[in-house]
Amino acid sequence: RLERLQRIVSKLQMESGLCEEQLNQADTLLQSDVRLLNAGKPPQKAAEIERDLDKADAMIRLLFNDVQTLKDGRHPQGEQMYRRVYRLHERLVAIRTEYNLRLKSGAPAAAVTVPLGQRPRQELDEATLRYLQDLLAWVEENQRRLAAAEWGVDLPTVESHLGSHRGLHHSIEEFRTKIERARADEDMGERCGEEGAEAAHPCARPQNSSKSRLRHLESLHGFVSAATKELMWLNEKEEEEVNFDWSDRNPNMTAKKENYS
């Protein structure tokens, strides 16, 4: 059993390294396209970035399953491997968020990084409005992700979804800082119309949905963990009964009868 778990550790170490390379590649392509956007040119690598992010996402889901096997087997490196995979997932969420905000929306990074007070009024209005639209698009996309998210059918898949959602929830919580930056201008709502009004609390809906999903996933995980332990116990007892020598030649038959009684 320990040899099998150690093989899983080696597999995790190798595949997490490959996943990190995949994320590095996606990030390099993303930064290259962001520079093109800042120069007023169209991005060139959007399809490759999406493909790399999807591959990394699939790899991380499998890694979470392997991590759960280690934790179920009480392997001493189980928690360490979990933190390693969790950090990979956090980076995936960060890169995907930057991709959605900067590249997918077509907004130049400069529009959201130059301090508001240092730009002409007209440019300020346009940049603020564009930034708000980007933020609202991010909110809508993550709301859709939450609405369509699955729950899992067994302990490994529930654990995978729980780990994945913790990363997303962390990203949604950090989103508040972007909102505060966008609302830094007191009369933003007046100048930006409906977008400004809607952006007053744009992350409230996904944040509430995320909190609710996290709470339900943790509850589901607790139930499935307990149920899995009971099923494992039943399986052990079944194997014990199937492999027991029920013949009269078995000297332990008396003890077996006492155990049944």
Side-chain angles (χ1 to χ4, degrees), residues 11-63:
K11 177 172 174 280
L12 272 166
Q13 290 171 335
M14 180 187 70
E15 293 185 354
S16 61
L18 294 174
C19 184
E20 188 170 11
E21 291 177 8
Q22 194 86 50
L23 291 172
N24 288 340
Q25 179 174 308
D27 194 29
T28 299
L29 294 174
L30 174 60
Q31 299 311 319
S32 174
D33 269 3
V34 167
R35 286 192 292 272
L36 287 175
L37 275 177
N38 291 338
K41 300 176 182 178
Q44 303 292 328
K45 305 292 185 180
E48 293 180 44
I49 296 170
E50 285 210 36
R51 187 163 58 248
D52 285 342
L53 291 177
D54 288 343
K55 284 182 181 178
D57 192 0
M59 292 172 72
I60 288 172
R61 289 180 182 277
L62 295 175
L63 290 173

Side-chain angles (χ1 to χ4, degrees), residues 163-205:
S164 296
H165 184 68
R166 280 173 174 158
L168 176 61
H169 184 70
H170 180 70
S171 176
I172 291 174
E173 290 289 317
E174 287 187 337
F175 184 70
R176 188 177 296 276
T177 59
K178 295 184 176 69
I179 298 302
E180 294 302 322
R181 189 166 68 226
R183 296 178 62 199
D185 200 1
E186 290 183 1
D187 62 341
M188 176 192 70
E190 297 177 7
R191 291 185 292 104
C192 295
E194 292 183 4
E195 284 83 358
E198 190 177 351
H201 299 286
C203 61
R205 191 157 56 104

Side-chain angles (χ1 to χ4, degrees), residues 97-115:
T97 300
E98 185 177 8
Y99 168 74
N100 289 333
L101 279 176
R102 289 187 171 183
L103 198 63
K104 206 170 183 180
S105 67
V112 296
T113 55
V114 176

